[in-house]
């Protein structure tokens, strides 16, 4: 059966560790793995605008000896005149893997059922698993290890980032806390899955409505935009609801003195995070952004090996 990476719990704790180890090796020796030499092509499909995802996959695929084929759904038949499964059957005869940055998770599930090459979720409305591999790599670089660390995510708990943090950190044996207002909590299915995973890895998963409780004693504090793509018309409402969850110096003071701050970017300084924090000494966002390339290279190498 073809292995795909559609959500963070598609891999086990041991597999996650293996991918992160490989990412660290590839960061140290950038051109040591060339599984796409030929070059073989990887289709990278975009429903949404992108900076970090587009650059990191294009650079990473090239580093691995391959050729990135960037496809905008606005300029293709996908989702307008052709189903995801039919598109997959066309692509699988010509590409080594399919990467898709999209809206509905169901589209990724459909395209993965229709192909024999690995499919990677480069972002959906529900999950952002490639970002989490990069984030875990970054935390490990700065903290030395992952198991036992406490990570606090503040803001929209229903966002793809919050839900991926629950699953990925639980898989890594970390203690993850989501601080979000009522009405913006993660889905019950994701929380239950995170709790179940954490029970086997020694981690934990908690959702609270109190920002200070989420951050108390945390090793890492994370946030994301309050207004995700497609929700721009909700900005005024969201700013009012999430105001108490802004990561500023006062909130960071509740975390450990050496706590790191992370944000997947792009950031709205003055909204979800103050300029003082994101531009301050505790911020590791630029390492986090760079590590998208290394983590995704490792993921592609691992998937290609697993499906060989």
């Amino acid at each position: 059966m073809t292995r795909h990476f559609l959500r963070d719990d598609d891999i086990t704790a041991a597999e996650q560790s293996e991918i992160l180890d490989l990412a660290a090796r590839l960061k140290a020796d950038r051109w040591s793995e060339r599984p796409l030499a030929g070059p073989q092509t990887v289709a990278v499909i975009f429903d949404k605008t992108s900076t970090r995802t587009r650059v990191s996959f294009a650079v990473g695929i090239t580093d691995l000896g391959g050729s990135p084929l960037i496809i905008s759904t606005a300029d293709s038949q996908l989702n307008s005149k052709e189903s995801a499964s039919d598109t997959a059957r066309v692509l699988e005869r010509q590409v080594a893997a399919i990467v898709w940055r999209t809206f509905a998770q169901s589209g990724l599930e459909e395209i993965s059922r229709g192909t024999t090459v690995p499919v990677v979720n480069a972002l959906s409305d529900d999950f952002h698993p490639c970002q989490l591999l990069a984030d875990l790599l970054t935390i490990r670089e700065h903290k030395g290890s992952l198991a036992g660390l406490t990570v606090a995510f503040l803001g929209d708990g229903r966002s793809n980032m919050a839900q991926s943090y629950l699953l990925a950190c639980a898989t890594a044996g970390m203690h993850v806390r989501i601080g979000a207002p009522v009405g913006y909590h993660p889905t019950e299915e994701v929380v239950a899955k995170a709790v179940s995973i954490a029970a086997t890895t020694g981690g934990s998963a908690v959702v609270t409505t109190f920002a200070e409780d989420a951050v108390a004693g945390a090793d890492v504090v994370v946030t994301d935009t309050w207004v995700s793509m497609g929700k721009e018309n909700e900005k005024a409402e969201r700013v009012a609801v999430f105001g108490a969850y802004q990561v500023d110096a006062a909130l960071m003071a509740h975390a450990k003195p050496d706590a790191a701050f992370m944000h997947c970017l792009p950031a709205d300084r003055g909204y979800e995070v103050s300029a003082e924090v994101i531009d301050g000494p505790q911020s590791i966002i630029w390492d986090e952004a760079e590590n998208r390339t290394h983590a995704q290279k490792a993921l592609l190498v691992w998937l290609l090996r697993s499906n060989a």
Side-chain angles (χ1 to χ4, degrees):
M1 183 175 67
T2 305
R3 292 293 299 271
H4 306 290
F5 190 57
L6 308 186
R7 45 187 278 170
D8 307 80
D9 54 348
D10 280 344
I11 54 176
T12 66
E15 290 169 341
Q16 182 192 74
S17 181
E18 182 182 349
I19 293 167
L20 293 175
D21 287 344
L22 179 55
R25 293 199 299 274
L26 288 172
K27 186 172 183 177
D29 191 357
R30 182 168 174 174
W31 294 282
S32 59
E33 295 278 355
R34 306 278 288 177
L36 294 172
Q40 297 181 63
T41 300
V42 174
V44 190
I45 307 169
F46 289 92
D47 289 355
K48 299 184 177 185
T49 57
S50 170
T51 297
R52 277 148 295 277
T53 298
R54 184 183 299 268
V55 171
S56 58
F57 270 110
V59 171
I61 291 162
T62 304
D63 282 0
L64 296 176
S67 176
L69 174 62
I70 306 298
I71 302 171
S72 168
T73 49
D75 300 322
S76 74
Q77 305 292 356
L78 178 60
N79 286 341
S80 58
K81 295 183 178 179
E82 186 169 60
S83 68
S85 57
D86 283 356
T87 297
R89 295 184 68 180
V90 172
L91 290 176
E92 71 177 358
R93 296 185 175 211
Q94 303 176 72
V95 303
I98 299 169
V99 178
W100 194 7
R101 178 179 172 92
T102 188
F103 291 91
Q105 185 74 14
S106 58
L108 285 156
E109 292 167 356
E110 179 186 349
I111 206 168
S112 68
R113 288 193 297 268
T115 183
T116 56
V117 299
V119 175
V120 174
N121 177 359
L123 175 143
S124 71
D125 288 345
D126 291 340
F127 303 103
H128 200 352
C130 287
Q131 180 68 57
L132 260 292
L133 288 177
D135 287 9
L136 293 178
L137 177 63
T138 308
I139 294 168
R140 201 171 74 163
E141 287 177 344
H142 284 267
K143 298 296 182 180
S145 61
L146 296 174
L149 294 180
T150 297
V151 177
F153 180 95
L154 279 298
D156 186 354
R158 184 60 184 83
S159 70
N160 49 21
M161 283 298 294
Q163 298 207 137
S164 276
Y165 256 93
L166 279 167
L167 296 178
C169 290
T171 300
M174 304 169 79
H175 304 290
V176 56
R177 304 174 188 154
I178 307 296
V182 173
Y184 294 90
H185 285 185
T187 66
E188 292 182 2
E189 182 271 327
V190 170
V191 174
K193 187 61 183 294
V195 169
S196 175
I197 293 170
T200 69
T201 63
S204 63
V206 174
V207 179
T208 177
T209 57
F210 301 102
E212 292 181 359
D213 289 351
V215 172
D219 298 283
V220 182
V221 179
V222 188
T223 191
D224 189 17
T225 180
W226 292 340
V227 187
S228 298
M229 286 176 282
K231 301 185 184 297
E232 290 82 3
N233 63 332
E234 302 176 17
K235 182 171 183 177
E237 174 188 347
R238 284 173 167 267
V239 168
V241 169
F242 292 119
Y245 297 85
Q246 183 190 81
V247 180
D248 55 16
L251 188 59
M252 285 294 292
H254 291 274
K256 288 183 179 178
D258 65 344
F261 171 77
M262 301 180 73
H263 191 305
C264 67
L265 302 176
D268 291 323
R269 288 169 169 80
Y271 287 90
E272 72 269 11
V273 59
S274 67
E276 179 184 13
V277 170
I278 196 169
D279 296 324
Q282 290 174 282
S283 176
I284 56 174
I285 61 170
W286 308 121
D287 292 340
E288 180 184 6
E290 176 193 343
N291 281 339
R292 287 288 300 278
T293 296
H294 309 302
Q296 289 160 188
K297 284 171 65 177
L299 174 65
L300 286 171
V301 171
W302 186 86
L303 284 171
L304 292 168
R305 286 177 179 168
S306 299
N307 289 310

